[in-house]
C-alpha cells in the first residue's frame, strides 16, 4: 500500500451532498498517504470544504469527465467513484458515456452509486 493510488470522485448536482458525506465517512481510508484524490471541479470544491485535499479538474460540463477519462486511459487514475444522478439529464452525456467506456476498456473499477463505491473502498487493499 505504498505505491501512489489515484482515485477520481465525481458527483452530479443531486448527489453532491451525498458525496461529501461519503468522503467524510471514509476519511480514514481516503487520507492514507499514498492516495491521491482528483475530482471534477464543483465536486472537488465541495469536498475541499471538509478539509480533504483534492486535485480539481474542470467542471463536468466543461470537460472534467473527459479529463478524468484521459487519466484512466493513461493509467494514472486507478479507481472512479461516480455518484450519478439517474433522474437528471446532462448536456455532457457523451463525456459521461465516454468515461464509463474507458473504465471498461482499461478494466478500471468504476462505481456509479454510493453502495458500490463503499464496496470498492472496502476492497481497496486488494487492488493496490
Ligand atoms: O457533471 C459532472 C459529472 O458528469 C460533475 O461535474 P462537477 O463536479 O463539476 O459538477
Amino acid at each position: 500500500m505504498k505505491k501512489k493510488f489515484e482515485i477520481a470522485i465525481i458527483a452530479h448536482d443531486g448527489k453532491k451532498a451525498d458525496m461529501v458525506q461519503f468522503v467524510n465517512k471514509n476519511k480514514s481510508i481516503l487520507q492514507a498517504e499514498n492516495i491521491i484524490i482528483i475530482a471534477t471541479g464543483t465536486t472537488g470544491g465541495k469536498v475541499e470544504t471538509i478539509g480533504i485535499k483534492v486535485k480539481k479538474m474542470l467542471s463536468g460540463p466543461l470537460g472534467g469527465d473527459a479529463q478524468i477519462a484521459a487519466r484512466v486511459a493513461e493509467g494514472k487514475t486507478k479507481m472512479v467513484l461516480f455518484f450519478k444522478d439517474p433522474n437528471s439529464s446532462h448536456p455532457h452525456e457523451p463525456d459521461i458515456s465516454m468515461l464509463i467506456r474507458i473504465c471498461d476498456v482499461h478494466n478500471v473499477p468504476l462505481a456509479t452509486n454510493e453502495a458500490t463505491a463503499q464496496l470498492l473502498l472496502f476492497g481497496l487493499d486488494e487492488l493496490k
Side-chain angles (χ1 to χ4, degrees):
M1 151 117 187
K2 286 273 137 41
K3 254 177 82 182
K4 292 251 177 275
F5 194 90
E6 183 172 292
I7 299 177
I9 58 173
I10 310 168
H12 284 146
D13 286 352
K15 299 283 178 182
K16 281 184 171 67
D18 291 349
M19 177 60 88
V20 171
Q21 217 175 12
F22 173 82
V23 169
N24 199 33
K25 191 171 73 177
N26 288 284
K27 246 182 185 166
S28 58
I29 299 174
L30 292 169
Q31 287 188 318
E33 57 169 339
N34 65 319
I35 290 188
I36 297 165
I37 302 176
I38 69 165
T40 46
T42 317
T43 301
K46 301 255 183 220
V47 166
E48 276 176 343
T49 64
I50 56 163
I52 300 282
K53 198 173 163 224
V54 183
K55 181 172 174 179
K56 284 179 287 180
M57 306 285 118
L58 292 169
S59 183
L62 299 180
D65 303 75
Q67 285 179 301
I68 291 171
R71 294 182 74 84
V72 169
E74 289 165 0
K76 291 177 181 155
T77 299
K78 303 265 177 24
M79 178 181 283
V80 178
L81 308 180
F82 191 170
F83 288 13
K84 283 168 100 276
D85 184 353
N87 293 315
S88 63
S89 59
H90 307 280
H92 58 298
E93 199 61 51
D95 297 7
I96 296 166
S97 302
M98 194 251 303
L99 171 59
I100 292 169
R101 179 178 176 275
I102 290 291
C103 287
D104 288 342
V105 167
H106 293 276
N107 195 30
V108 163
L110 160 74
T112 58
N113 62 57
E114 182 172 347
T116 313
Q118 188 63 70
L119 287 173
L120 286 187
L121 286 190
F122 286 153
L124 204 54
D125 283 332
E126 304 295 319
L127 292 162
K128 281 178 294 185

